[in-house]
Amino acid sequence: MNSITRASAAIGRIRQHWNTPPAGKSVPYREMAAYGAGGFGLYFAVAVSGSISLAAGNTLIGNTIGITPVDLQWMNIISTIIGFGLVTLRGFIIDNTRNKMGKFRPYIKFMGLPTVLFSLLLVWLPYEHMVYWQKFVSVLIIFQLIQFTHPFFFESYHNLARVMSSDTQERTLVVAVSTIIWSWSPTISNMFIPIIVDAAKFNGMTDIRTYRYIYPAFCLAGIFLTRFAYRGTRERIVVGRSHYAQVGLWDSIKAIAKSKNFWVSSVAGWIGFLEGATAVLFLWSFEYGRIGSMSMYGVMTLILGSSALIPLWTTPLLTKYLGKRAIIIGTNALNIFFLAALLLCYQNFFWLMFFLFVNKAAMTYFDTVSPSMNADIRDEQQYLSGKRLDGMFSIGVILGSVIGMGTGMVIPQLYRLRGLVDDYNVLYDTAIRNGLFEILIVASTIGAVMNLIPFFFYDLTEDKQRGMIRALKIRAMFEDYGNKVLQDDVLVEGVAIIKQAKADYAATGGKPLDAAGLASLKKIRRMKVFRGGRAERKTRYEARLREEDKWNAHYVIDELEKFSRGDVLFSLKLARELCEGGLAGLYRFEGAARGPGREAAAMPGGGTKTERNIRRLAMNHYRERRRAAKAINRFYPGGTVTEFDYAALEELYELPEETGAQLREKNRLIKTANRERGRFYRSAKPYIEARELLNQARNYGHLEDIYAAYEEARGKSSGGSAGDPGARG
């Protein structure tokens, strides 16, 4: 097949699936394009706020405004402490968001303009008429405002890709396609802004006029373009249609703390903090080394930006055949070599640009795969805990910030060691600049090695994630069945998953992956994946998936049979006792709490895994009931707890908002209702969860009824959409 034929076939596939996703997928190409276009606007919008950081070496805050590297780090420590509360609050708000637009799209819509206005306020303050302490305080205060709005805006956009599909391969494709589109935004701005700076006769990127007069046009244009991201996309989280998101803060933290792969990913970033030390080489080589004009800097920015194209085009294919873990380990290893080689030739313009180019390409592979990997970790957490958490994964940001308060002092000390204390003009001295460049390259290489090591312990493979998603779809199907909102296409898919899982489980004897199965998988995975035509490659790939999925059928079987396990039966016993006592029983529990507490503590803590789980469940049950009793005393004096009306809250979201007065009244009513919902949840949490568990057990007992409706539903669904019916919002 020649290039013209391939191009024609690709265009045909795009046209065919522009509005309708390919078979077995969820996201049409139109939606991917809209997401990418919104990202293009987002990176224009954050052109200024993205240039603002409290890291040593930041051009705007350090060089232009004049805050010293050490004071920047002290500002960073202060902001980190303030940020603890902001990050926790932001995560809690996102995970409990109830909006018809979804979980993330509202923040893309409403948080962009405040972010731009705060960042422009920072650059328009009259620093030329301020003394040093006034600059310090002003920057610190405005940075806190940006620190609140910017993550809502920026992170919500990137989190959106994680919930547009439940298929890990499709997520990677969404990220790659959108990145191809939005990556041109910083490339264009970074190319044209220096050219405009030269034409305007400004003093380079350290001139405050650059940020006051040139950047705003890009920011405001970006706000307009972000509308594509929130208008042209959908969120598809695998939960029941009637599922109501309500997550406690402490429960969220405990659930995330148990995720091994979350810690692997987080630790890699924490201990690899030095890897970004060379980020200043490119700009400083032009700004202080005078290796070229700012116009040439803009052109070279474009060339460096193009380094992302090959990784972006090839990442979906490599992920499909090699897996995300292999890509991250491989590209990180290459990056170590590229950084080490830079030490030998950074004074040569050609070799400096070459190794910065390949370094950026390697990092693009990592940056493209990471969002999909993080989404897989969230799927694993949802499978294990039963609650979908996204915002509270920012706990890693909090812990990383604590660590960063110490590690952030390292690079300023390296600056000081090589003569950069508070006057950046010393970088015009070649000896000082080169000495600093060398120590930064060595530090960056060490950081790359440290960043690589944790990923050898990452064990959430693509086939495991697929097994978990199937189990989540079964869970959602039973929930919708119990609430009488089960759709035919979801029923058909769910029963098909169950039947295939039972056949695979029988074929493997219900055993985990043994030596023979592992050898079979390795043989399939060692096939020359790129050999042969498209049809042959597709056949080999599907054979590999089939073999992998056969050994992961236990995820679905375990989900179907979980109510026969000893620890789950114990949970059902506790749930029945609690529901029989009703909400009034929660209130009366506090006075008689010592007895149940002693009984739970006296249970055997050793022995089998089931015995340990039962003791843990008993202790948690006791603690939760104590907390609920205290909450009832606080919010419902006298112990009379009124059941919250969730249907009435849903009706509030449907109220008109055509006028400003209507919108204000609607928001007031929703705010009041959500406050009452929060009080009820804190007071009745054990009762609510016990009722949910009993309902779930009751629904799982209706599998034969679901089978009975299967044939009729399959006939109706056969004429429906080819998209993934189980991944829905």
Side-chain angles (χ1 to χ4, degrees):
M1 183 182 290
N2 58 37
S3 300
I4 296 177
T5 306
R6 286 195 184 96
S8 177
I11 292 172
R13 285 195 298 273
I14 291 173
R15 294 179 62 184
Q16 179 184 0
H17 300 298
W18 184 251
N19 292 310
T20 304
K25 300 298 181 182
S26 307
V27 187
Y29 294 156
R30 173 195 55 76
E31 194 171 334
M32 294 186 193
Y35 180 67
F40 188 97
L42 176 131
Y43 276 88
F44 268 2
V46 300
V48 176
S49 61
S51 301
I52 300 168
S53 79
L54 301 182
N58 181 261
T59 301
L60 175 57
I61 306 298
N63 302 41
T64 305
I65 296 176
I67 306 299
T68 66
V70 173
D71 284 346
L72 270 172
Q73 184 55 27
W74 282 115
M75 291 172 69
N76 190 33
I77 291 174
I78 296 171
S79 298
T80 298
I81 295 171
I82 295 173
F84 293 161
L86 295 180
V87 171
T88 305
L89 176 63
R90 186 167 62 246
F92 182 73
I93 290 173
I94 288 175
D95 283 333
N96 288 277
T97 293
R98 185 70 172 176
N99 191 292
K100 60 184 179 182
M101 289 182 64
K103 201 172 191 177
F104 300 111
R105 289 158 63 223
Y107 304 108
I108 300 174
K109 180 176 182 179
F110 295 113
M111 285 297 186
L113 187 58
T115 300
V116 169
L117 294 178
F118 289 144
S119 59
L120 293 181
L121 173 63
L122 186 141
V123 300
W124 271 97
L125 288 178
Y127 297 106
E128 55 271 23
H129 303 300
M130 291 182 177
V131 296
Y132 186 81
W133 73 266
Q134 291 174 324
K135 294 180 182 180
F136 184 96
V137 173
S138 299
V139 170
L140 182 61
I141 292 174
I142 298 177
F143 185 81
Q144 306 318 310
L145 299 175
I146 297 172
Q147 184 179 219
F148 181 74
T149 60
H150 180 276
F152 264 119
F153 181 48
F154 189 80
E155 293 176 11
S156 291
Y157 172 79
H158 287 285
N159 281 328
L160 180 58
R162 296 168 180 160
V163 297
M164 287 172 65
S165 172
S166 61
D167 185 320
T168 186
Q169 179 64 29
E170 189 173 26
R171 285 172 181 159
T172 304
L173 181 62
V174 170
V175 172
V177 170
S178 61
T179 306
I180 290 173
I181 298 172
W182 68 246
S183 64
W184 285 102
S185 175
T187 300
I188 290 171
S189 60
N190 290 337
M191 180 182 73
F192 282 105
I193 287 175
I195 294 174
I196 299 171
V197 166
D198 262 0
K201 306 299 183 184
F202 291 167
N203 188 26
M205 301 303 293
T206 60
D207 192 325
I208 192 68
R209 293 175 296 176
T210 300
Y211 301 93
R212 288 176 175 173
Y213 301 120
I214 299 177
Y215 274 90
F218 288 89
C219 295
L220 296 176
I223 291 296
F224 174 79
L225 292 173
T226 54
R227 63 192 301 169
F228 287 103
Y230 62 78
R231 286 191 174 184
T233 59
R234 278 186 58 204
E235 298 182 16
R236 303 172 178 86
I237 300 175
V238 185
V239 294
R241 288 171 56 83
S242 55
H243 182 78
Y244 202 101
Q246 187 153 308
V247 187
L249 178 62
W250 181 242
D251 292 333
S252 302
I253 294 174
K254 288 194 296 183
I256 293 170
K258 296 176 183 177
S259 173
K260 168 196 167 184
N261 291 301
F262 161 75
W263 292 112
V264 167
S265 177
S266 298
V267 169
W270 299 340
I271 67 175
F273 68 97
L274 288 171
E275 188 172 6
T278 54
V280 297
L281 261 64
F282 180 55
L283 175 60
W284 285 4
S285 294
F286 278 90
E287 190 70 44
Y288 301 107
R290 302 300 189 188
I291 62 175
S293 66
M294 293 311 295
S295 296
M296 180 182 287
Y297 170 79
V299 173
M300 294 310 301
T301 298
L302 176 63
I303 294 174
L304 287 181
S306 68
S307 66
L309 291 178
I310 292 178
L312 291 173
W313 283 111
T314 57
T315 296
L317 184 64
L318 293 176
T319 302
K320 185 176 182 180
Y321 291 111
L322 301 179
K324 293 183 283 294
R325 177 177 178 269
I327 292 174
I328 283 185
I329 290 176
T331 54
N332 271 14
L334 285 173
N335 204 34
I336 294 170
F337 170 76
F338 296 149
L339 289 170
L342 191 60
L343 185 64
L344 304 176
C345 51
Y346 70 91
Q347 297 184 58
N348 181 285
F349 178 81
F350 172 80
W351 287 111
L352 172 67
M353 291 300 109
F354 173 78
F355 281 111
L356 288 177
F357 184 93
V358 292
N359 168 256
K360 189 172 179 62
M363 292 307 298
T364 300
Y365 278 110
F366 180 87
D367 293 340
T368 307
V369 167
S370 291
S372 185
M373 177 178 281
N374 289 330
D376 292 350
I377 294 172
R378 285 157 170 76
D379 292 338
E380 181 187 38
Q381 171 274 318
Q382 182 185 358
Y383 169 75
L384 294 174
S385 72
K387 297 182 183 296
R388 177 73 186 193
L389 304 175
D390 288 285
M392 280 309 298
F393 270 87
S394 55
I395 185 177
V397 177
I398 298 175
L399 296 175
S401 299
V402 174
I403 296 170
M405 287 193 291
T407 59
M409 283 293 189
V410 174
I411 291 180
Q413 291 307 316
L414 295 179
Y415 287 1
R416 182 184 292 271
L417 188 64
R418 284 295 185 264
L420 174 56
V421 181
D422 52 19
D423 183 7
Y424 284 85
N425 289 324
V426 299
L427 293 174
Y428 289 111
D429 186 316
T430 302
I432 293 177
R433 187 177 63 253
N434 288 347
L436 182 55
F437 279 9
E438 289 171 5
I439 198 170
L440 291 180
I441 292 171
V442 171
S444 191
T445 305
I446 294 172
V449 173
M450 298 299 290
N451 179 263
L452 171 63
I453 293 172
F455 285 106
F456 286 103
F457 300 93
Y458 183 85
D459 61 2
L460 181 54
T461 58
E462 284 73 14
D463 57 302
K464 289 181 181 178
Q465 188 268 350
R466 290 196 302 273
M468 293 175 186
I469 287 295
R470 291 189 181 96
L472 289 174
K473 289 181 177 181
I474 297 304
R475 197 177 295 172
M477 180 188 73
F478 278 113
E479 182 178 353
D480 284 349
Y481 172 82
N483 292 316
K484 297 181 174 56
V485 292
L486 180 60
Q487 294 181 327
D488 287 343
D489 54 357
V490 178
L491 172 61
V492 168
E493 184 189 28
V495 173
I497 289 173
I498 292 172
K499 289 187 173 183
Q500 185 64 61
K502 287 188 173 183
D504 290 340
Y505 196 73
T508 59
K511 299 179 295 184
L513 186 62
D514 57 14
L518 185 61
S520 174
L521 280 179
K522 286 183 176 179
K523 182 179 179 181
I524 293 174
R525 289 168 177 168
R526 282 197 299 266
M527 289 180 179
K528 296 181 179 179
V529 295
F530 302 114
R531 184 184 62 189
R534 180 183 179 89
E536 184 181 349
R537 294 197 305 272
K538 182 178 179 181
T539 300
R540 284 200 302 270
Y541 175 68
E542 290 176 347
R544 193 193 88 183
L545 293 186
R546 185 82 281 285
E547 185 69 16
E548 290 175 345
D549 291 343
K550 183 174 72 175
W551 290 99
N552 284 299
H554 64 88
Y555 285 104
V556 173
I557 302 302
D558 289 347
E559 181 68 24
L560 291 173
E561 298 179 352
K562 66 182 180 182
F563 289 105
S564 63
R565 295 203 321 256
D567 53 346
V568 181
L569 288 173
F570 179 76
S571 292
L572 286 172
K573 173 178 172 291
L574 295 177
R576 291 191 191 96
E577 292 174 355
L578 200 157
C579 287
E580 286 170 2
L583 291 171
L586 285 176
Y587 176 68
R588 293 191 300 269
F589 183 79
E590 187 175 21
R594 293 187 180 275
R598 292 195 192 99
E599 292 174 8
M603 287 183 173
T608 66
K609 180 180 179 181
T610 299
E611 288 177 339
R612 293 194 298 272
N613 284 342
I614 287 175
R615 184 179 186 276
R616 176 181 56 81
L617 289 168
M619 292 297 296
N620 287 342
H621 179 74
Y622 162 70
R623 295 190 190 102
E624 292 293 341
R625 293 194 66 171
R626 285 292 304 272
R627 293 191 190 103
K630 291 179 180 178
I632 292 173
N633 273 328
R634 178 181 175 186
F635 299 122
Y636 301 95
T640 303
V641 182
T642 305
E643 183 89 24
F644 181 76
D645 190 348
Y646 289 94
L649 177 59
E650 288 297 313
E651 291 175 2
L652 293 180
Y653 283 103
E654 302 302 323
L655 290 176
E657 49 185 55
E658 298 173 359
T659 66
Q662 287 179 334
L663 180 60
R664 287 190 295 272
E665 178 63 11
K666 176 180 178 179
N667 289 336
R668 186 189 67 80
L669 292 173
I670 291 175
K671 183 178 180 180
T672 301
N674 276 321
R675 186 185 300 115
E676 180 58 33
R677 183 194 66 168
R679 290 176 176 176
F680 174 73
Y681 180 76
R682 289 177 62 184
S683 303
K685 179 175 175 288
Y687 177 80
I688 294 170
E689 292 182 347
R691 189 169 56 186
E692 289 175 351
L693 182 64
L694 292 176
N695 287 338
Q696 189 180 62
R698 191 178 303 112
N699 294 337
Y700 275 50
H702 286 278
L703 183 57
E704 293 302 323
D705 295 332
I706 288 177
Y707 280 153
Y710 170 66
E711 293 299 334
E712 180 183 355
R714 186 174 61 171
K716 295 179 181 178
S717 180
S718 61
S721 169
D724 180 1
R728 58 199 183 280

